[in-house]
Structures are given as C-alpha cells and as structure tokens.
Amino acid sequence: MAVRLNHTNTQFLRVYIDAARAAGKAVDADAQPGDLIWDDYDGDGVISYDGDRHDIGNPHPDVTMGLSLGFDWKGLDFSVTGAGQFGMQVMQSYRTSQLANQYTNYTQDIFQRWHGEGTSNKYPALRVGSKNDQWISTRYMHNADFFRVQNITVGYDFNKLWKNSPFQQLRLYFQAQNLYTFTSYTGVDPEIGSSGGKDSWASGVDVGLYPTSRTYLVGVNIKF
C-alpha cells in the first residue's frame, strides 16, 4: 500500500474543534465545521502531508482459497466453483475525489454527509475545492474479505430418458456466473485491481471501476 496520511478520528470539527485545541492538539488552520480532524502522527503540532503520512493497510490477503464441488447422478450433473480472499484491506480512493469535485458522479453515501447541526457525521461536509478531505487516509480504508460464488452449473442428459436417441449426448444446462459475493465491503467490488495504465502494478486501490457482471446462460450439448 502506498504511503498515505493517517486519520484516526471519525468525528467532525463542529463537535471537537474547541476540545482539540484546548487539549493542545494540532488542528488544520483552515478547518471549518464539518471538516475532519487529522492525526498529528509525528507530534510536531502541525498537520502536514509530508510530516504525518505513513504506511497504512495491506492489500495482500493472508488467506486465499478456492472451492470446487460437483456430482453426476443418473444423467443429472451439478457443479459449483468459488474463490475467496481474507485478511486484506482496500482503499476507496474514489471517495476523496467525490467529496471535492463538482464534475463527478456520487454514490448514495453522499446523503450521509455532514450538512449542519444534528445531521449525519459519517462523511465530512461537501465543499468544492476543499483540501480537508483530499488526502487518502484510514477513513477510506476498509476490510475487503470476500467469498465469491463464481460459477454454478446444472445440467441433464435427456439420453437417460430417450432410450432410442440418435445422439450420444443431448444435454440441456443452465449456468450462472458471478452469482453472489459474500462480503462486508462497502464499495462496489472487493475483488479489485487498480486503475490500469502506468499504475497497473498497484493492488488494493478501488478507483470505482465497473464491477464484474452477473451472467446467466442456457445451452445445449449435442453429440452425434
């Protein structure tokens, strides 16, 4: 994971700015109500990109697993395959640009932003051009454990019923690909790569790319 600035406080300045200053903590000089409070990681009393950023998270899973099951019984066949990864984190880098750019689309999470006293404090206030939430931080890092059902296939060979069939095989099958993903990840897809291009080497960075689609297929296998 690239070196990023750390953020450890999920509350906003409307609640904690006075308390933070009274306790001698560093607060961004340009902070406004609804902005984030950043962790002064190096303890120098100043919030700075170069001084307070450090390594956070690990995009490499601790455990990678796969599953393959199947059976064939009296002409009926069934198979299922799946794969999962556990113990890694993913950075939702697209969320910071969303909160500072008026030219991009937003996810429905934007409705949970701070926009006045008594409103949600899950996400900071939306201010075009604000630098307060442009740094990648632990705020947008999420556990990305998942197990994905990659393929389920069910088929039946009607030669078992048609005794005088002219075919060696007459199999009808139904197949579902990318059927379901078990995960608590809040982004679009926990099984992400990178933005491609010059950063194609990167992993664990979710830039909001379109996820893998779910596909249903119906087919026939005929052998003469």
Side-chain angles (χ1 to χ4, degrees):
M1 182 67 69
V3 178
R4 304 297 184 191
L5 188 69
N6 187 33
H7 166 258
T8 59
N9 194 325
T10 59
Q11 302 298 323
F12 299 122
L13 294 179
R14 175 70 75 176
V15 179
Y16 283 104
I17 187 169
D18 294 335
R21 284 173 173 161
K25 295 182 180 179
V27 176
D28 188 355
D30 298 325
Q32 302 179 53
D35 284 348
L36 303 175
I37 294 178
W38 295 94
D39 180 30
D40 182 20
Y41 184 74
D42 62 1
D44 66 354
V46 178
I47 302 298
S48 64
Y49 180 76
D50 292 327
D52 294 318
R53 62 176 179 169
H54 57 284
D55 290 330
I56 54 176
N58 185 355
H60 307 295
D62 296 328
V63 177
T64 299
M65 64 170 295
L67 174 69
S68 179
L69 300 173
F71 71 84
D72 190 338
W73 179 73
K74 294 185 177 180
L76 177 68
D77 62 89
F78 172 83
S79 65
V80 56
T81 59
Q85 295 181 342
F86 305 89
M88 75 286 194
Q89 293 79 48
V90 165
M91 182 65 71
Q92 294 178 349
S93 63
Y94 63 89
R95 292 199 182 277
T96 55
S97 62
Q98 279 188 336
L99 296 178
N101 189 338
Q102 73 271 38
Y103 300 112
T104 189
N105 291 322
Y106 297 93
T107 66
Q108 63 183 5
D109 294 312
I110 198 65
F111 293 116
Q112 301 182 62
R113 74 191 187 280
W114 187 96
H115 54 280
E117 290 286 359
T119 59
S120 173
N121 64 356
K122 184 175 182 180
Y123 295 103
L126 178 61
R127 294 189 181 93
V128 175
S130 172
K131 297 181 180 180
N132 178 263
D133 195 32
Q134 288 184 338
W135 292 332
I136 298 296
S137 71
T138 53
R139 181 169 190 77
Y140 299 105
M141 177 174 290
H142 298 264
N143 290 327
D145 297 351
F146 74 91
F147 181 83
R148 170 165 288 157
V149 181
Q150 296 174 317
N151 184 291
I152 292 180
T153 302
V154 179
Y156 185 75
D157 187 354
F158 285 89
N159 270 0
K160 299 296 181 180
L161 297 177
W162 190 1
K163 298 302 182 181
N164 297 319
S165 169
F167 309 108
Q168 294 185 25
Q169 183 184 54
L170 183 59
R171 176 177 175 263
L172 176 68
Y173 68 89
F174 172 79
Q175 187 177 89
Q177 299 176 352
N178 190 34
L179 185 61
Y180 192 78
T181 301
F182 297 91
T183 184
S184 61
Y185 181 62
T186 60
V188 178
D189 190 345
E191 191 178 17
I192 52 91
S194 70
S195 58
K198 63 183 179 62
D199 297 324
S200 60
W201 55 270
S203 60
V205 180
D206 188 350
V207 296
L209 299 179
Y210 197 81
T212 305
S213 61
R214 183 180 295 118
T215 306
Y216 300 99
L217 299 173
V218 177
V220 178
N221 296 128
I222 299 176
K223 292 183 180 180
F224 293 95

